Amino acid sequence: MSSTSTLPIDAFPAWVRFNDVHFNNTKLSQTEGKGLGLVAEVDLKTTAPGEGHGEVGKNPNILLSIPHDLVLSADTVKEYANVDQNFRQLLEVAGQQSTRHHILLYLMVHLIPSNRDNVGSRGCAPTPWTEYIKFLPRQVPVPTMWTEDERALLRGTSLEAALESKLSILTGQFDDLHEKSSGLAFWNTLFWEKDAATIQDWILAEAWFRSRCLELPRAGVAMVPALDMVNHSHHPTAYYEEDEQDGVVLILRPGVEVTGGEEVTITYGDDKSAAEMLFSYGFIDAKHAVHKLVLPLDAMPGDPLGQAKLHIFKEKPVLQLSRTEGGLKWSSTFAYLMCLNEEDGLEFRVLQGTDGERQLKLFWQEEDVTGRARDFEALIQGHPLQQVFRLRVVVVLHELVSMQLTQLGSGFSLDRLEPLRRSGQVREECIQEAAKLREVEQRILELAVETLDQQRTHLLADDHVVAYLGSMEVTESGLASDREANEEDDFS
């Protein structure tokens, strides 16, 4: 799969004119270190309506405008299904799916006929995306499109498990598409007879969506052609919004000045962690990366209530670590539930509801807290053993974070990397981005270990904890004496 688009960007102005897209004092051009981007043709600065050289009644700060009918959203997919019978059949056999999945199908039906080997093959009804998709890159720098050797660079990072899970999901989705659509003559011919559609095409379509989608107030999750070529900056000079006709416009930020020849940028999100930026967009801005790390949690090994806790919690349990100016903060709404048991007053009951269905209910200190499974940090307040419960949580999280730090340190083999680098099997940009991620996550994990260690020491000095641990020692000592006495009796 080539790293470039199938149509040169020189042909893009013709598509722009034909589809009523307007660039105002801006153009697409190659940028330093970022590839294609939006560049100012003249000096730009914010002006009030009526000033400058814009049309009367129009916002003079609009740099780019895209008509509503070019926006690829859930409504676009629905409208296209009304126009093209074959696509409607594909959606029907796919079954109830998310907007994301429907947009991927839309991209696939435009992508496969656009491949060079399929020129002349009959596809679905043409749309502006039939040609636009030919301007999109065939290689996206997100990790799902890295080679196996390149993905090995992420071993020990928080992305390792997430990447494996994503690729497994994508493979399952593609296999499901194959199974359900191969029985339809049109799609069997277009996709499967000559193996025209491959798992790499599905991964590419998903990479396009993940790296280019945005959330619009009215259209929802969508892809916007031309706007999706504007690059990210932590100091953006423009922002986008929907206009009165539900089109999308790019507007110069108030008080901003952009010199002619300088790049115009937007923000892809100011609160995304280094792992999120690499996973979604294929790059990390190390200077401005949010120092945040998310690790998966699971039920305690051997916990008889473990599966019930996961079921009642409903969400995917995680631990979030955030580095701040004051140190490090951790948060986990599952950790407190994870560390409680029946002896503490936690109980699960299966009760019959008013509809006759049996339901799993969660109780704490005889109170039904089924709807508050995420609130156990607050629910333990006032309990005589609340500091003991906190100590359990801190000890468990300390072990988890320490293990992650160890895995991070042992997952990157420089000896194996060098020959792969020299032979070109691992790209330099993948090495650099993986190294940035490892550096950011190592700093967070080291600080987390230190912080949790301090919290553990503080809790161990708490009077309630000292008394509890002391009573446990006495109890265990008494049990040991009883066992010794029994052993003596048995021996005699």
Side-chain angles (χ1 to χ4, degrees):
M1 188 179 292
S2 66
S3 60
T4 58
S5 58
T6 57
L7 275 182
I9 200 62
D10 293 344
F12 190 61
W15 184 91
V16 165
R17 288 192 298 272
F18 188 76
N19 289 285
D20 203 27
V21 175
H22 294 284
F23 287 80
N24 301 320
N25 297 320
T26 57
K27 64 177 182 179
L28 291 177
S29 181
Q30 291 297 323
T31 61
E32 185 176 353
K34 293 184 179 179
L36 205 62
L38 186 69
V39 174
E41 291 185 307
V42 297
D43 292 348
L44 303 173
K45 65 177 181 178
T46 310
T47 55
E51 296 180 4
H53 303 287
E55 295 180 35
V56 176
K58 292 208 171 182
N59 187 341
N61 303 309
I62 292 177
L63 308 176
L64 173 63
S65 58
I66 302 99
H68 170 68
D69 59 2
L70 297 183
V71 176
L72 176 50
S73 64
D75 287 343
T76 311
V77 174
K78 188 182 298 184
E79 291 168 6
Y80 188 60
N82 292 333
V83 172
D84 191 286
Q85 180 182 358
N86 292 311
F87 185 67
R88 182 167 65 252
Q89 288 179 338
L90 183 63
L91 288 185
E92 289 172 354
V93 298
Q96 280 295 111
Q97 300 286 353
S98 63
T99 297
R100 180 192 195 95
H101 196 276
H102 285 168
I103 290 178
L104 293 190
L105 290 176
Y106 184 95
L107 292 172
M108 280 288 283
V109 304
H110 288 77
L111 168 62
I112 301 307
S114 75
N115 289 339
R116 294 184 185 277
D117 296 338
N118 294 288
V119 174
S121 60
R122 186 171 65 91
C124 288
T127 73
W129 278 83
T130 305
E131 291 301 308
Y132 183 72
I133 213 167
K134 298 176 183 177
F135 295 106
L136 298 182
R138 272 14 185 201
Q139 182 63 48
V140 184
V142 295
T144 48
M145 297 201 70
W146 291 13
T147 65
E148 185 176 352
D149 286 326
E150 289 167 346
R151 294 197 300 272
L153 298 171
L154 299 173
R155 284 179 187 158
T157 70
S158 63
L159 274 189
E160 180 182 9
L163 186 54
E164 290 179 3
S165 176
K166 172 59 76 172
L167 289 172
S168 176
I169 290 171
L170 292 176
T171 300
Q173 290 174 343
F174 181 76
D175 291 342
D176 185 63
L177 174 63
H178 189 179
E179 179 182 350
K180 290 180 176 178
S181 64
S182 57
L184 301 174
F186 178 87
W187 295 109
N188 189 54
T189 300
L190 186 66
F191 281 174
W192 314 120
E193 275 188 355
K194 297 181 180 179
D195 295 326
T198 68
I199 180 60
Q200 292 305 319
D201 293 315
W202 185 254
I203 291 174
L204 172 60
E206 196 275 337
W208 280 339
F209 178 84
R210 181 153 36 98
S211 61
R212 293 168 178 269
C213 74
L214 44 84
E215 184 82 25
L216 296 173
R218 294 191 292 275
V221 176
M223 294 176 68
V224 183
L227 179 62
D228 63 6
M229 296 184 181
V230 182
N231 289 320
H232 164 80
S233 172
H234 281 279
H235 303 288
T237 52
Y239 67 97
Y240 56 84
E241 65 179 22
E242 288 173 289
D243 62 18
E244 295 176 355
Q245 290 76 42
D246 290 336
V248 179
V249 290
L250 181 69
I251 303 174
L252 191 67
R253 284 179 175 265
V256 166
E257 294 187 11
V258 180
T259 306
E262 187 179 349
E263 186 178 12
V264 175
T265 57
I266 59 175
T267 176
Y268 293 176
D270 295 327
D271 60 345
K272 289 184 170 64
S273 67
E276 289 177 289
M277 289 298 292
L278 181 57
F279 187 73
S280 295
Y281 306 110
F283 68 88
I284 297 171
D285 184 350
K287 291 182 180 179
H288 301 98
V290 176
H291 288 257
K292 182 173 65 176
L293 176 59
V294 178
L295 299 176
L297 288 180
D298 204 346
M300 299 277 284
D303 183 358
L305 302 179
Q307 290 305 311
K309 290 175 181 178
L310 292 171
H311 177 80
I312 209 81
F313 192 71
K314 295 182 180 177
E315 301 175 6
K316 188 175 181 179
V318 297
L319 166 64
Q320 182 167 299
L321 306 172
S322 302
R323 187 179 179 185
T324 65
E325 293 182 1
L328 181 129
K329 292 183 178 179
W330 63 264
S331 63
S332 173
T333 52
F334 182 72
Y336 288 90
L337 173 61
M338 176 178 69
C339 292
L340 294 171
N341 53 51
E342 288 180 306
E343 290 77 9
D344 304 318
L346 188 74
E347 184 183 2
F348 286 92
R349 302 175 190 172
V350 179
L351 303 177
Q352 187 167 324
T354 55
D355 57 357
E357 293 291 327
R358 294 168 66 82
Q359 299 175 346
L360 183 67
K361 296 289 186 176
L362 173 63
F363 285 80
W364 172 247
Q365 307 298 316
E366 298 298 325
E367 179 186 353
D368 187 344
V369 293
T370 304
R372 301 185 62 191
R374 303 174 80 255
D375 297 338
F376 268 88
E377 184 176 6
L379 288 171
I380 65 172
Q381 293 285 349
H383 192 284
L385 297 180
Q386 66 173 337
Q387 294 297 75
V388 176
F389 300 152
R390 293 184 192 281
L391 177 61
R392 287 183 199 166
V393 171
V394 168
V395 169
V396 169
L397 297 185
H398 184 278
E399 182 180 357
L400 172 70
V401 172
S402 298
M403 188 181 303
Q404 185 71 28
L405 183 59
T406 300
Q407 292 174 353
L408 183 66
S410 61
F412 196 67
S413 174
L414 293 175
D415 293 338
R416 183 170 177 267
L417 173 62
E418 195 52 41
L420 293 173
R421 187 209 302 258
R422 288 197 302 267
S423 64
Q425 292 176 265
V426 174
R427 289 167 292 174
E428 191 64 35
E429 55 266 33
C430 297
I431 296 173
Q432 293 175 0
E433 298 304 327
K436 291 178 189 176
L437 179 63
R438 303 182 81 86
E439 183 180 353
V440 169
E441 294 200 343
Q442 182 174 344
R443 289 200 298 266
I444 296 173
L445 290 169
E446 288 174 344
L447 187 56
V449 168
E450 180 182 340
T451 300
L452 288 166
D453 196 42
Q454 292 171 354
Q455 292 178 355
R456 180 177 60 182
T457 300
H458 177 75
L459 286 166
L460 283 170
D462 181 87
D463 292 342
H464 294 87
V465 174
V466 171
Y468 175 79
L469 295 179
S471 67
M472 292 295 292
E473 288 179 3
V474 170
T475 302
E476 290 179 3
S477 176
L479 290 173
S481 299
D482 290 343
R483 283 195 298 270
E484 289 174 3
N486 290 335
E487 288 171 3
E488 289 175 1
D489 291 343
D490 291 339
F491 178 76
S492 63

